[in-house]
Each structure stands twice: as structure tokens, then as C-alpha cells.
Amino acid sequence: MFCIATEKARANIKNNFDDYLKSVNWQDKVEFNIHIVQLLEDKLSNDIKNDKDLVEVLKKDEHFVEECVISKSYKVGKNDNPWLGFDECALPVVLAHNTPNNSLPIIWQNAERFHGLFPRISRH
């Protein structure tokens, strides 16, 4: 698998796949590797979360986080601070084909009252 990912995402993918292989008793039969083309350091989102001025701006615009952000899949992750995106990842990431839901919603949200610079295409 080739991807752009954070270290947290890499660990999550590996742990979940390892658990799956164990659950079907294939841990000795399947070999897999995760090749991250661009590793995004966890420090990136931590820097955003620790920037008090930026967090205040994002919280001030909390009313922009509408139901279109808070979906069934969104609720799977940590979501006490919805202005930080899925699982509170707070990534300042935009990809050519879409904007991930773990990016800051102020970047991608396309709500009735607010339109992000890089609208997200929801696929589920």
C-alpha cells in the first residue's frame, strides 16, 4: 500500500490489519508492508492544536461546523472539538482529488452558511 499518512495513521492501519490477520489465523500466511510516500509528522497537527491564537479563531467559527461535518463515520473518532476535523487530527492538508475529513473543516466544509476554499466530496 502506498499513501500519504501521519505516523498515527500508519500505526492505526498496521495495528488493525495485524488484529484482523490474527482473528482469521493468517498472521503467519500474509505479509504486508505500508509504504508511506509522504509521512506527515504528528507534530504538524500538534502544532496547530497548541497554537492558542489559531485555536481561538477556529473555536470562534465553531458555528460553521454544521451537520454535514458530523456524519456517522465522523462519530467513530474523537470528536469533542469538531473544528479540528475527523478524530481531531487538525491536518492542514488538501489533495488534488479531494480534501480529507481529518483536515480542518474550515478548509473544506461546504455548508449552507459557509463555503470552504477546497470543498470536500463526501463518498459515504
Side-chain angles (χ1 to χ4, degrees):
M1 171 188 291
F2 290 93
C3 57
I4 178 174
T6 62
E7 181 56 37
K8 178 181 174 184
R10 188 208 62 77
N12 195 18
I13 292 167
K14 182 175 180 348
N15 292 337
N16 284 323
F17 198 66
D18 284 343
D19 289 347
Y20 170 75
L21 292 176
K22 287 176 188 170
S23 75
V24 295
N25 202 24
W26 287 0
Q27 66 270 23
D28 298 327
K29 299 173 186 162
V30 174
E31 180 182 328
F32 81 99
N33 295 297
I34 302 169
H35 298 280
I36 299 174
V37 176
Q38 178 65 52
L39 178 65
L40 302 175
E41 296 179 18
D42 291 332
K43 178 184 181 303
L44 181 65
S45 62
N46 291 335
D47 285 350
I48 290 173
K49 293 176 193 177
N50 293 327
D51 184 326
K52 292 178 182 176
D53 293 332
L54 179 57
V55 168
E56 283 305 311
V57 169
L58 295 172
K59 286 171 84 173
K60 177 181 164 197
D61 293 332
E62 180 179 6
H63 65 279
F64 288 132
V65 180
E66 295 185 3
E67 198 59 35
C68 63
V69 170
I70 304 171
S71 63
K72 180 180 176 184
S73 60
Y74 172 86
K75 291 179 181 180
V76 172
K78 184 177 178 190
N79 53 45
D80 295 330
N81 302 304
W83 57 87
L84 295 176
F86 174 76
D87 204 23
E88 298 184 6
C89 288
L91 294 177
V93 174
V94 175
L95 304 173
H97 66 281
N98 205 0
T99 306
N101 67 347
N102 58 354
S103 293
L104 296 165
I106 199 163
I107 295 173
W108 59 265
Q109 180 176 243
N110 201 14
E112 195 171 308
R113 295 181 295 167
F114 175 79
H115 297 282
L117 294 174
F118 304 96
R120 174 175 164 68
I121 300 166
S122 182
R123 295 193 172 100
H124 45 82

